[in-house]
């Protein structure tokens, strides 16, 4: 399977030409494209017209499309510099422009990969937990209950919480299971 | 502590003094059965016909006994206190003893039935874990991300709910240390002092 579609290659080939962008302008575009991929808000909101007032808006948009596709696909497939350079050769890139792209890409590669890893199918992630110790004295059904009671709240990434109550013994049971998981995890990481 | 019966309640229960001891015991068993499985009005009719008394007297007596057992269970009355409460109100020691035996025999079952009506907050039932390593996804190939999947079974008023959540390694260790902190708090002087003095 080809990493880039023929359409993308056409779009990228347009960015190879000096006539559209100088090398300095090209650097700015590539860096900006990386920021947009990372969805860093302040960068992404700058209207393209302000950055390049003298150029054809459509051509600029096409350039961004091509470059962002390349950045995402390169990060997704964990391409090395030589593999990227081969791809850029297919787009008729000159050596200095290739170097510019590879340098900027490598600078942002880890961030992009980390950002891409957040997408996808997954159970909600726990980020924090809170606990509370109560003494249940009585309720309107039983006038004498007198038991210790823990309330645990597991906080998820999206802000939702999972709340439940448990006794001391149930808490101990839960802790021993988690410790077991941690021990196995540690053992597995030593391979 | 001793139970205090209202005048009306006492009047209903005083019917017990007019009947044979074994009939009284039977009434008590019937009342406990009603507490567990609901009231069966036919029993009132049968009993009143057998004893040649008004159906109302039988009904009040049995319902009075049910109320007596419920109040005693609510206050977690000891056997001695239960007995004494009855004797103080003028019931014979034999009757009191017979009722006490039935009370203590069914105390746990009655207690759990009453407790089932208390406000039900979600309770922890079970937890299972699974170790996973994420190797790739559609948006990113060549990954290596270990994580622990937790399946929590939580029981609330609607039944048992299963929640599936994920935790990475630092979060897991953080969870363990926080929960252990919670557990040790249980043994702190403050908590122990409170529990000792209040119960």
């Amino acid at each position: 399977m080809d990493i880039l579609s023929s359409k993308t290659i056409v779009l990228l080939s347009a960015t190879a030409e000096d006539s559209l962008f100088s090398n300095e302008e090209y650097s700015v575009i590539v860096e900006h494209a990386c920021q947009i991929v990372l969805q860093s808000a302040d960068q992404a909101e700058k209207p393209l017209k302000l950055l390049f007032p003298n150029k054809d808006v459509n051509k600029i948009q096409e350039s961004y499309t091509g470059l962002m596709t390349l950045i995402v696909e390169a990060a997704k497939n964990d391409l090395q510099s030589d593999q990227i350079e081969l791809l850029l050769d297919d787009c008729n890139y000159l050596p200095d422009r290739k170097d510019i792209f590879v340098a900027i890409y490598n600078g942002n590669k880890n961030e992009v990969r980390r950002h891409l890893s957040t997408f996808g199918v997954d159970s909600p992630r726990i980020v924090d937990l809170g606990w509370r110790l109560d003494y249940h004295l009585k309720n309107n059904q039983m006038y004498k209950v007198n038991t210790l009671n823990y309330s645990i709240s597991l906080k998820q990434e999206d802000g939702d919480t999972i709340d439940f109550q448990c006794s001391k013994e149930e808490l101990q049971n839960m802790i021993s299971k988690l410790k077991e998981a941690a021990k196995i995890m540690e053992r597995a990481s030593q391979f | 502590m001793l139970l205090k019966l209202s005048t009306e309640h006492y009047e209903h229960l005083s019917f017990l003094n007019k009947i044979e001891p074994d009939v009284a015991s039977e009434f008590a068993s019937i009342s406990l059965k009603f507490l567990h499985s609901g009231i069966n009005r036919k029993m009132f009719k049968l009993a009143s016909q057998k004893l040649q008394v008004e159906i109302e007297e039988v009904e009040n007596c049995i319902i009075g006994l049910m109320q007596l057992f419920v109040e005693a269970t609510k206050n977690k009355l000891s056997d001695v206190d239960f007995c004494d409460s009855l004797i103080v109100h003028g019931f014979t020691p034999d009757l009191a003893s017979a009722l006490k035996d039935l009370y203590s025999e069914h105390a746990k079952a009655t207690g759990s039935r009453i407790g089932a009506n208390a406000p039900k907050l979600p309770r922890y039932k079970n937890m299972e874990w699974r170790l996973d390593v994420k190797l790739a996804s559609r948006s990113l190939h060549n990954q290596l991300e270990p994580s622990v999947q937790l399946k929590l079974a939580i029981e609330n008023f609607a039944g048992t709910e299963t929640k599936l959540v994920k935790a990475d390694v630092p979060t897991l260790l953080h969870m363990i240390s926080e929960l252990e902190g919670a557990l040790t708090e249980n043994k702190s002087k403050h908590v122990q002092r409170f529990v000792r003095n209040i119960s």
Side-chain angles (χ1 to χ4, degrees), chain A residues 72 75-78 112-114 116-129 131 133 135-137 139-146 148-150 152 154 156 161-175 177-182 184-185 188, chain B residues 71 73-76 111 114-115 117-119 121-129 131 134 137-143 145-150 152 154 163-169 171-176 178-187 191 194-195 198-199:
Chain A
V72 169
K76 176 168 119 181
N77 290 290
D78 201 11
V112 174
R113 278 182 64 82
R114 200 191 42 77
L116 287 176
S117 75
T118 62
F119 296 102
V121 185
D122 225 341
S123 326
R125 214 163 66 94
I126 295 186
V127 285
D128 200 4
L129 74 77
W131 61 266
L133 178 54
Y135 193 73
H136 185 181
L137 286 164
N139 54 51
N140 72 331
Q141 301 292 338
M142 286 290 272
Y143 297 149
K144 214 176 176 193
V145 179
N146 289 352
L148 274 170
N149 198 15
Y150 280 98
I152 311 274
L154 298 171
Q156 294 172 299
T161 56
I162 298 180
D163 305 301
F164 56 87
Q165 314 240 310
C166 60
S167 66
K168 186 178 88 162
E169 291 75 27
E170 288 165 337
L171 182 62
Q172 258 167 339
N173 175 294
M174 188 161 62
I175 293 179
K177 284 187 183 169
L178 289 173
K179 275 177 136 160
E180 203 185 349
I184 302 284
M185 178 87 89
Chain B
E71 279 301 311
T73 318
K74 269 190 175 184
N75 288 292
K76 271 207 188 149
I114 296 176
N117 292 334
L121 297 162
R123 276 206 80 86
Y124 163 82
K125 252 198 117 170
N126 192 18
M127 185 180 76
E128 286 163 29
W129 58 266
L131 184 52
K134 187 159 110 170
S137 69
R138 181 188 172 196
S139 46
L140 189 63
H141 303 176
N142 296 352
Q143 291 183 55
E145 199 185 302
S147 66
V148 169
Q149 297 262 21
L150 297 169
L152 275 167
I154 292 175
K163 297 226 165 128
L164 202 54
V165 284
K166 189 178 91 138
D168 52 26
V169 182
T171 315
L172 179 66
L173 298 172
H174 171 65
M175 277 172 76
I176 293 176
E178 284 296 321
L179 291 175
E180 281 189 315
L183 206 55
T184 47
E185 192 55 33
N186 186 26
K187 303 191 191 93
V191 173
F194 180 86
V195 172
I198 208 84
S199 45

Side-chain angles (χ1 to χ4, degrees), chain A residues 14 19-20 40 46 50 64 70 89 115 122 124 134 169 171:
Chain A
S19 54
L20 187 54
S40 324
K46 275 202 198 122
L50 284 181
Y64 269 93
L70 175 58
D89 279 337
H115 183 69
D122 225 341
D134 283 311
E169 291 75 27
L171 182 62

Side-chain angles (χ1 to χ4, degrees), chain B residues 24-37:
Chain B
S25 295
E26 213 185 303
F27 270 22
S29 316
I30 292 174
S31 71
L32 280 167
K33 202 167 79 179
F34 283 0
L35 269 178
H36 285 256
S37 38

Side-chain angles (χ1 to χ4, degrees), chain B residues 40-190:
Chain B
N40 183 358
R41 299 221 92 94
K42 287 195 230 151
M43 298 288 274
F44 295 147
K45 210 166 172 199
L46 276 171
S48 71
Q49 277 171 353
K50 224 163 78 172
L51 296 170
Q52 305 274 316
V53 291
E54 290 293 320
I55 197 173
E56 251 179 46
E57 283 209 63
V58 174
E59 191 173 332
N60 287 335
C61 181
I62 293 190
I63 294 185
L65 279 168
M66 284 166 75
Q67 179 69 7
L68 173 70
F69 285 124
V70 165
E71 279 301 311
T73 318
K74 269 190 175 184
N75 288 292
K76 271 207 188 149
L77 229 52
S78 67
D79 292 350
V80 172
D81 283 344
F82 183 80
C83 233
D84 289 343
S85 312
L86 289 173
I87 293 177
V88 153
H89 280 88
F91 294 100
T92 63
D94 291 333
L95 178 63
S97 174
L99 289 175
K100 174 207 77 173
D101 289 336
L102 278 167
Y103 164 69
S104 57
E105 210 182 303
H106 289 91
K108 219 172 178 183
T110 325
S112 59
R113 281 231 47 132
I114 296 176
N117 292 334
K120 244 204 190 115
L121 297 162
R123 276 206 80 86
Y124 163 82
K125 252 198 117 170
N126 192 18
M127 185 180 76
E128 286 163 29
W129 58 266
R130 182 177 104 170
L131 184 52
D132 277 338
V133 177
K134 187 159 110 170
L135 296 173
S137 69
R138 181 188 172 196
S139 46
L140 189 63
H141 303 176
N142 296 352
Q143 291 183 55
L144 207 64
E145 199 185 302
S147 66
V148 169
Q149 297 262 21
L150 297 169
K151 186 165 104 167
L152 275 167
I154 292 175
E155 194 175 7
N156 55 25
F157 60 87
T160 311
E161 211 182 322
T162 329
K163 297 226 165 128
L164 202 54
V165 284
K166 189 178 91 138
D168 52 26
V169 182
T171 315
L172 179 66
L173 298 172
H174 171 65
M175 277 172 76
I176 293 176
S177 78
E178 284 296 321
L179 291 175
E180 281 189 315
L183 206 55
T184 47
E185 192 55 33
N186 186 26
K187 303 191 191 93
S188 75
K189 274 202 200 136
H190 178 76

